[in-house]
Amino acid sequence: MRWRGLSGVLTSQACTLSANRLLTVAVPWLVLERTGSAAQTGLVVACQVLPYAFTQWLAGPLLDRIGPRRISAAGDVVSAVVLIVPALLGTPPLWLLTLMLLVVGCADGPASAAKRLLVPFAAADAGQSTARGVGLATAVERTATAVGTALAGWLVATLGGGRALWVAAAMLGVATLIVTLTVTDPVRDRGRDDESYLTRLRTGTAFLRGNAPLRAVTAMFVVTNLLDQALMAVLLPVWARAGGHDATVVGLALSTVGLASIASALASAGFGTRLPRRLTYLIGVLSSGPTRILVLALGLPPEAVIAVYALAGIGSGLFNPLLETLQVELIPAALRGRVQTLISAWAWAGIPVGGLFGAALLNLGGLTAALWVCGLAYLAAVLRPVWRVDWSVPVSAAPPAEPESRKLRIRLAGPGAAARVPVRRN
C-alpha cells in the first residue's frame, strides 16, 4: 500500500498527458476538415495553449490553500465534461469548439500543476526519495509524448476527430477517478484568516524575486524554451529543406530525443541520487541543449545529427529530474504551489515568440548565422546556473513535511534575507 499514492499520481499523469497528446492531433485535424483553413486551425489551437501557464500561476494560492488533490480532480472533471459536448450536441460549430478548448486550457493548467505538486509528497509516502519520484514522473511524461502522439494519430485516423475527443474525455475521467481513490492531500497552508488571495499571490512572487538561484534557473528556462521553439518551429525544418532532406529526418531526430530521454529518466529514478549534482547538470545541459543547434550549424550529415539528438535525449532525461528535485528542496511546502506555478508561467513566456525570433534571425543573417547565434545563446543560458546555484545535497533530502520546510528555510536563508532560500518543467 506504500506505493498506492505514487502509483496513482503517475497513472493519473499518464492518462492526462495521453489525453492532451490526443487533443494536439485531433483538434487541428477536426478544424482542418471543417474549414480547410490553416489560419483558423492555428487560432483554435492557440485558444487551448495560451491559458495553460497563466491559469497555473493564478491557481498557485489555491493549490497551497485547498490542496492539489482537489484542484487536480476538479480540473480534469471540467475538461472531461467539456469534451463530451460533441457527443451530446453533435458536431459543434467552430465558435463552440474554440470556446470548449479555451475552457479545457484554463482547467488543464491548474490540474497539471496539481499533479506535479503531488509527486514529491506521494514519493515520501512510498518511502522513496524526491529524485526517484520526479524521475519516474519525467519518464511518464516522455513516454506519453513519444507513444501517446502515435496512438493519437491512429485513433484520429480510425475514429475521426470528433469521436477522438470522447476518448480524451474518458482518459480524463479515469485520471479523476484514480486521483480521488488513491491520493491523499499533503498538509495544506491555512495561512492567516485575513490573508487575501492577492496577498498570497504576492508572497509567492516575492519569494522568487528574493531568491537569486531560483531566478537564475527561471531565466535559463525562459531563454532555452524560446530557443527550443525557434529550433523546432523554424530552424530545424529550414535546415532539412536546405539540405535536401524531407520531413522524415526531422521526425526521426525528434523521436530519437524522446525515446532516449525515457531511458535516461528511468536511470535517473534508479540511481540519480548517487550522481554528483553539478557535474550531472553540466553534462545533461551541454549534451541536450546547444549541441542540438550547433550540430546543424556545422553542416554535419543527417546520420550524425540523429546520433547527437540521441545523446541530447539522454542528457535531457538526466538533468530535468534534477532541476525539479532542486525546486522541491528549495521551496517551502507552504509556498510550493505559488512559486512553482510562477516559475512555470515564466518558463512558458518565451515559447510564443520563439518561432518569430527564429524567423527574424533567418531574415537578418541566414540559416548558418541564426544557428550559431541560437547555439551560443543557449550555451550562455545553461552555464549561468552552474555558478549561481549551490548544488550540494541538503541534510535531509526527504520530501517536505512542514516543520522540515521551516528548517530548510532557516538553514539556507542568507544573512538578512527575510524570504530568501538560496539554491535551486516542454
Side-chain angles (χ1 to χ4, degrees), residues 156-180:
V156 171
T158 304
L159 302 176
R163 291 182 178 177
L165 297 183
W166 307 351
V167 178
M171 290 179 177
L172 291 167
V174 171
T176 304
L177 188 63
I178 291 172
V179 165
T180 303

Side-chain angles (χ1 to χ4, degrees), residues 79-96:
S79 296
V81 169
V82 168
L83 290 175
I84 64 173
V85 167
L88 302 175
L89 303 179
T91 303
L94 189 61
W95 68 266
L96 181 56

Side-chain angles (χ1 to χ4, degrees), residues 185-204:
D185 252 333
V187 176
R188 297 193 291 275
D189 172 33
R190 297 295 181 183
R192 301 193 313 270
D193 291 337
D194 61 344
E195 196 172 26
S196 68
Y197 168 85
L198 290 178
T199 300
R200 289 171 171 270
L201 203 61
R202 285 195 293 267
T203 301

Side-chain angles (χ1 to χ4, degrees), residues 173-233:
V174 171
T176 304
L177 188 63
I178 291 172
V179 165
T180 303
L181 295 179
T182 63
V183 178
T184 303
D185 252 333
V187 176
R188 297 193 291 275
D189 172 33
R190 297 295 181 183
R192 301 193 313 270
D193 291 337
D194 61 344
E195 196 172 26
S196 68
Y197 168 85
L198 290 178
T199 300
R200 289 171 171 270
L201 203 61
R202 285 195 293 267
T203 301
T205 304
F207 182 89
L208 180 59
R209 186 170 57 240
N211 189 305
L214 278 176
R215 288 202 316 270
V217 173
T218 303
M220 183 266 288
F221 285 150
V222 175
V223 174
T224 55
N225 280 350
L226 183 150
L227 296 174
D228 280 332
Q229 183 66 11
L231 174 65
M232 290 186 291

